[in-house]
């Protein structure tokens, strides 16, 4: 007999009991579903909103939630094998999404919907906006470039995905550690010290405090000593020195990818989709705000 708890655990809710094998299988199922939908859209003889735009939108809605649940486990699971499997699943899903967004045959179907001006006029405003947004996303993925240029951009974006996964893995796995006396932790409740590890330094007992959130957050919120809070903040912000190299490479690659697409900067590429639209608008807003605050 299946209990209510088992139904919830095996359902769409966040499932902390997922094994590495189940995570890998779920990622494979999502990528297979994505390919199936995209193959069907690409094969449409007469692309329309109903058989092209709508299926792609439904796919994004259906897959996004489950993909997020799978990748979230790398941030919270106490099992390293689960965290590693979740990280690998996120990488596989990201690569699959990137490949799908760069399919010229799928973009061809989407573009035909946009080129049908009469059909666009008959769509509801929301549907028309969705179609236009989807076509824009394909162009931003490089579908307006030549085959050689797309191959170069794909190589760049694959490396960015790899850097992002490695950056996140380092952040999740690395923990800073600081040692404090009880006096330095004044303000923390007695429960904070229950079963907390200690070390003796020069004959003085000190409590081990890590940068894990259950350790970090209470100290930052309740410790009376500014010096203690400063030490913990510094430990948190400097705990992954190996990420500096990754970040430097990612910044350079983001700029390179933006320029491949015809943008001057990565900021210009990103802001095109936001309300501000351009870096100049952001800088002008910031300038105006500073003047008002002076």
């Amino acid at each position: 007999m299946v209990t209510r708890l088992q139904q919830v655990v095996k359902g769409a809710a966040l499932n902390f009991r997922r094994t590495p094998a189940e995570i890998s299988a779920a990622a494979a199922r999502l990528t297979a579903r994505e390919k199936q939908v995209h193959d069907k859209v690409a094969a449409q003889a007469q692309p329309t909103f109903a058989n092209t735009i709508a299926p792609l939108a439904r796919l994004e809605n259906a897959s996004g939630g489950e993909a997020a649940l799978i990748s979230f486990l790398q941030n919270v699971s106490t099992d390293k094998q689960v965290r590693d499997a979740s990280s690998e699943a996120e990488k596989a899903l990201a690569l699959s999404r990137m490949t799908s967004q760069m399919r010229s045959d799928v973009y061809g179907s989407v573009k035909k919907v946009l080129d049908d001006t009469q059909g666009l006029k008959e769509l509801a405003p929301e549907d028309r906006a969705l179609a236009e947004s989807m076509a824009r996303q394909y162009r931003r993925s490089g579908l307006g470039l030549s085959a050689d240029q797309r191959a170069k951009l794909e190589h760049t974006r694959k490396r960015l995905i790899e850097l992002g996964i490695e950056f996140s893995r380092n952040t999740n796995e690395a923990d800073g550690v600081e040692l404090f006396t009880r006096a330095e932790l004044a303000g923390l409740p007695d429960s904070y010290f229950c079963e907390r590890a200690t070390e003796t330094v020069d004959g003085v007992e000190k409590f081990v405090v890590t940068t894990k959130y259950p350790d970090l957050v209470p100290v930052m919120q309740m410790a009376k000593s500014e010096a203690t809070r400063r030490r913990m903040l510094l430990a948190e912000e400097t705990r992954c020195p190996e990420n500096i190299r990754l970040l430097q490479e990612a910044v350079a690659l983001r700029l390179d990818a933006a320029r491949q697409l015809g943008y001057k900067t990565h900021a210009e590429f990103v802001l095109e989709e936001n309300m501000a639209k351009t870096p100049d608008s952001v800088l002008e807003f910031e300038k105006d705000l500073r003047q008002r605050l002076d």
Side-chain angles (χ1 to χ4, degrees):
M1 180 178 178
V2 178
T3 66
R4 174 59 182 159
L5 175 60
Q6 290 172 325
Q7 289 176 340
V8 171
V9 166
K10 292 299 182 181
L14 181 59
N15 180 4
F16 290 98
R17 298 186 185 182
R18 268 183 168 162
T19 66
E22 289 174 334
I23 291 171
S24 299
R29 185 171 61 252
L30 288 175
T31 55
R33 183 195 306 165
E34 184 173 42
K35 185 177 184 305
Q36 182 182 36
V37 172
H38 281 82
D39 286 345
K40 187 173 181 179
V41 167
Q44 291 295 336
Q46 294 181 315
T48 64
F49 180 90
N51 64 27
T52 297
I53 306 300
L56 292 173
R58 284 196 294 268
L59 171 68
E60 182 178 354
N61 290 338
S63 300
E66 187 173 0
L69 294 177
I70 292 171
S71 60
F72 182 65
L73 290 172
Q74 67 186 286
N75 302 316
V76 296
S77 177
T78 58
D79 187 329
K80 188 177 186 306
Q81 290 184 327
V82 170
R83 294 197 302 272
D84 289 344
S86 174
S87 181
E88 287 302 313
E90 182 183 29
K91 179 179 178 180
L93 292 170
L95 288 172
S96 177
R97 284 194 299 271
M98 184 200 70
T99 300
S100 297
Q101 281 293 316
M102 298 188 76
R103 285 187 56 167
S104 57
D105 52 354
V106 176
Y107 177 57
S109 293
V110 172
K111 192 172 183 302
K112 286 180 181 179
V113 176
L114 268 292
D115 290 341
D116 180 8
T117 55
Q118 182 57 40
L120 277 181
K121 290 180 180 178
E122 296 173 358
L123 293 176
E126 295 85 354
D127 291 343
R128 184 164 57 251
L130 174 61
E132 292 170 348
S133 174
M134 191 172 291
R136 184 168 59 252
Q137 288 302 321
Y138 277 101
R139 289 195 298 272
R140 285 166 57 84
S141 296
L143 271 301
L145 304 176
S146 68
D148 289 343
Q149 290 172 323
R150 286 201 304 274
K152 180 182 178 182
L153 180 62
E154 182 176 6
H155 177 77
T156 301
R157 287 188 162 170
K158 279 184 178 178
R159 180 56 182 159
L160 280 169
I161 290 172
E162 292 170 356
L163 289 171
I165 297 297
E166 186 176 354
F167 187 100
S168 295
R169 182 184 290 120
N170 290 342
T171 302
N172 290 335
E173 297 299 327
D175 289 316
V177 177
E178 292 290 326
L179 302 177
F180 295 102
T181 63
R182 181 67 182 259
E184 289 172 322
L185 293 172
L188 276 296
D190 291 340
S191 58
Y192 185 80
F193 301 93
C194 292
E195 301 183 4
R196 181 165 297 281
T198 61
E199 292 185 16
T200 301
V201 180
D202 297 330
V204 178
E205 182 184 56
K206 295 191 175 185
F207 292 90
V208 177
V209 181
T210 73
T211 54
K212 285 186 170 66
Y213 278 8
D215 284 8
L216 174 68
V217 174
V219 172
M220 297 305 297
Q221 292 180 343
M222 293 183 281
K224 295 180 179 179
S225 169
E226 180 183 351
T228 295
R229 298 194 304 273
R230 184 185 298 113
R231 280 175 58 190
M232 284 305 300
L233 180 62
L234 185 62
E236 162 67 8
E237 296 296 330
T238 61
R239 62 191 169 93
C240 294
E242 62 272 27
N243 276 352
I244 295 175
R245 173 186 58 82
L246 303 181
L247 185 59
Q248 290 172 333
E249 183 179 355
V251 168
L253 288 176
R254 282 179 169 182
L255 175 59
D256 182 44
R259 287 178 173 172
Q260 289 180 50
L261 289 166
Y263 299 88
K264 294 179 181 178
T265 64
H266 177 68
E268 186 176 277
F269 169 75
V270 171
L271 288 171
E272 181 185 50
E273 291 286 273
N274 296 346
M275 185 174 67
K277 298 302 180 186
T278 68
D280 287 343
S281 296
V282 174
L283 293 174
E284 185 61 33
F285 175 81
E286 184 182 56
K287 179 182 177 181
D288 179 67
L289 184 61
R290 286 179 179 275
Q291 291 174 344
R292 292 170 184 267
L293 293 174
D294 286 342

